[in-house]
Amino acid sequence: MTLPAEAQEAIRSFGISIEDYMLPVHGRVPQIQILDERGTLRPEDERGSAPGHDYPIPASSELLEAYRRLVIGRRVNDQNSALVRQGRMAVYPSSHGQEACQVAAALCLSEGDWMFPTYRDSVAVMTRGVDPVETMTLFRGDWHGGYDPHEHKVGIQSTPLTTQLLHAVGVAHAAKLRGEDTVVLAMCGDGATSEGDFHEALNFAAVFSLPVVFFVQNNQYAISVPLAHQTVAPSLAHKAIGYGMAGERVDGNDLVALLAVLDRAVRLARAGSGPLLVEAYTYRMQAHTNADDATRYRKDAEVEAWALKDPLKRMREYLRADGTLTDGAEAAFAADAEETARQLRDGLGSETDVDPLDLFRFVYTEPTPQLREQSAQLADELSREEH
């Protein structure tokens, strides 16, 4: 398999051989892990890189900020789950247990880059800088997405599976045609890899050598369907080979490894390597949404085993052990998390003014005659009710 000459040049500029870059071609996709499940460095890391690869450990200041975001993310998930039970939100797909993926996805990007999230990536959207209440507006049942995607360069979260990958590839193609220094992070879950849009997005990105990082959060269940019933591929990272791109697999509960892997993936894409696929092996600790009963398709013992791999506990243990995380910092981070939770409670607990005419106002740029007629009829009825 031959990569474009410009892509090969970009890859070699990172000191990576083309053979190592294209590991899936040779059937080898090791899982990158820097912290073990107890939150301690794997032995080889003490020399400055993780075993089996050459990823450096991110700076302590970067890890501390990432942990702060992780604490906020966990509190956001717990608060939103409570708001659903209180009837303040219609639905919430929790990312409890996947927060490390969410935080790393947002922090690996530069200001001018774009992120296209799934419906489960609210923590990533907030970490990118979108207001918490605006992020959750969609999930309270409002007609709009809640935030301006252009302001923070974050696509609108939506329920249709995998459509965001096509949007991501389109933005990346436009950026390349314009000569812009833009990387696009396209997020999806394991279930999305079974969709036709997944194939179309990856194939198009590879053919045109676009600066896209496809980030697959493999939480092992597409609602109630386990991964084994979705694919027989050795890993989802192996799917990259069919499109002529590199595939990497990382422990999705290891925030240190996620930051290292995604940071290099974004830098490679920006340098002109073409698209890459990163699979994060993680787990959905809670139900698919509040409307789902996860006990019908998985065992408690499985969930309990994954609880021991909690990314929050793992990161805390690591930062505590090396002295980076102090009592004062821990207290400050908890306060930040509570402030975010308060914003969500206050914002989602307040009533919103609803204008029924919005039903017609934003359907088309130029309303059709039928919509004008229906809008006028409703306006007349509302006017008569006021009098």
Side-chain angles (χ1 to χ4, degrees):
M1 182 172 296
T2 303
L3 292 172
E6 61 176 337
Q8 294 188 41
E9 181 180 351
I11 293 163
R12 291 194 182 100
S13 71
F14 280 75
I16 305 171
S17 69
I18 302 300
E19 292 74 17
D20 285 342
Y21 179 81
M22 298 299 294
L23 280 175
V25 176
H26 309 289
R28 297 178 291 115
V29 186
Q31 178 168 287
I32 308 303
Q33 185 187 73
I34 296 178
L35 298 184
D36 64 20
E37 296 173 9
R38 299 182 302 276
T40 58
L41 286 176
R42 298 182 64 182
E44 294 88 342
D45 292 330
E46 295 174 0
R47 298 199 301 271
S49 64
H53 56 80
D54 60 353
Y55 284 107
I57 299 171
S60 295
S61 58
E62 182 181 353
L63 295 180
L64 193 63
E65 173 60 15
Y67 175 72
R68 184 179 78 88
R69 300 284 190 166
L70 197 62
V71 172
I72 294 173
R74 177 60 55 84
R75 186 69 185 90
V76 164
N77 274 319
D78 292 345
Q79 182 62 77
N80 284 340
S81 295
L83 289 171
V84 169
R85 292 192 296 271
Q86 295 167 8
R88 300 192 197 184
M89 283 201 302
V91 66
Y92 182 62
S94 175
S95 62
H96 187 114
Q98 297 178 222
E99 293 96 346
C101 296
Q102 306 276 296
V103 169
L107 294 184
C108 73
L109 299 174
S110 297
E111 184 177 350
D113 296 334
W114 272 85
M115 179 173 74
F116 283 85
T118 74
Y119 51 79
R120 197 178 301 281
D121 296 324
S122 298
V123 170
V125 173
M126 293 182 199
T127 304
R128 182 71 171 149
V130 179
D131 179 82
V133 176
E134 290 183 358
T135 301
M136 300 315 303
T137 295
L138 176 70
F139 298 96
R140 72 183 298 176
D142 282 24
W143 60 268
H144 58 85
Y147 56 89
D148 179 357
H150 295 280
E151 182 180 356
H152 298 284
K153 293 183 169 54
V154 177
I156 292 294
Q157 294 178 268
S158 59
T159 301
L161 200 62
T162 326
T163 54
Q164 75 278 359
L165 299 190
L166 300 177
H167 304 156
V169 169
V171 168
H173 193 208
K176 184 173 182 178
L177 291 175
R178 294 169 180 160
E180 297 172 353
D181 184 23
T182 300
V183 173
V184 178
L185 185 75
M187 304 174 73
C188 69
D190 50 289
T193 65
S194 300
E195 294 285 326
D197 286 351
F198 178 83
H199 159 75
E200 293 172 8
L202 268 70
N203 193 59
F204 189 93
V207 168
F208 291 96
S209 193
L210 301 180
V212 183
V213 176
F214 294 98
F215 184 40
V216 182
Q217 294 177 71
N218 177 9
N219 65 20
Q220 302 175 63
Y221 286 95
I223 306 183
S224 59
V225 181
L227 185 65
H229 293 173
Q230 300 177 57
T231 181
V232 293
S235 75
L236 296 180
H238 278 79
K239 291 183 180 288
I241 181 57
Y243 305 98
M245 67 177 72
E248 191 78 283
R249 196 167 194 248
V250 60
D251 182 343
N253 287 19
D254 179 357
L255 182 53
V256 179
L258 282 161
L259 289 168
V261 169
L262 286 174
D263 177 71
R264 190 166 80 174
V266 169
R267 289 190 292 117
L268 275 164
R270 199 184 310 281
S273 72
L276 308 92
L277 187 152
V278 176
E279 174 197 359
Y281 188 64
T282 183
Y283 194 78
R284 169 166 57 76
M285 293 299 297
Q286 298 179 346
H288 178 70
T289 69
N290 52 292
D292 173 42
D293 180 7
T295 62
R296 299 179 62 182
Y297 55 83
R298 65 185 188 185
K299 304 294 185 182
D300 290 342
E302 179 181 299
V303 180
E304 291 168 2
W306 273 92
L308 300 176
K309 306 175 184 180
D310 188 301
L312 186 65
K313 295 178 182 177
R314 187 186 298 194
M315 196 66 175
R316 178 188 293 123
E317 290 299 321
Y318 172 64
L319 293 176
R320 278 290 192 178
D322 76 353
T324 301
L325 181 62
T326 64
D327 290 342
E330 187 86 74
F333 297 168
D336 290 343
E338 286 304 320
E339 172 57 22
T340 301
R342 183 198 63 76
Q343 292 176 28
L344 287 167
R345 289 193 302 272
D346 292 349
L348 297 174
S350 60
E351 295 294 330
T352 57
D353 293 328
V354 177
D355 185 353
L357 293 177
D358 284 345
L359 284 168
F360 310 99
R361 193 169 285 138
F362 304 107
V363 179
Y364 295 108
T365 302
E366 182 65 30
T368 64
Q370 293 87 348
L371 285 177
R372 288 197 184 96
E373 180 183 351
Q374 294 166 17
S375 179
Q377 180 180 351
L378 177 58
D380 180 63
E381 292 177 4
L382 293 173
S383 176
R384 283 189 278 108
E385 284 182 3
E386 291 176 357
H387 297 88

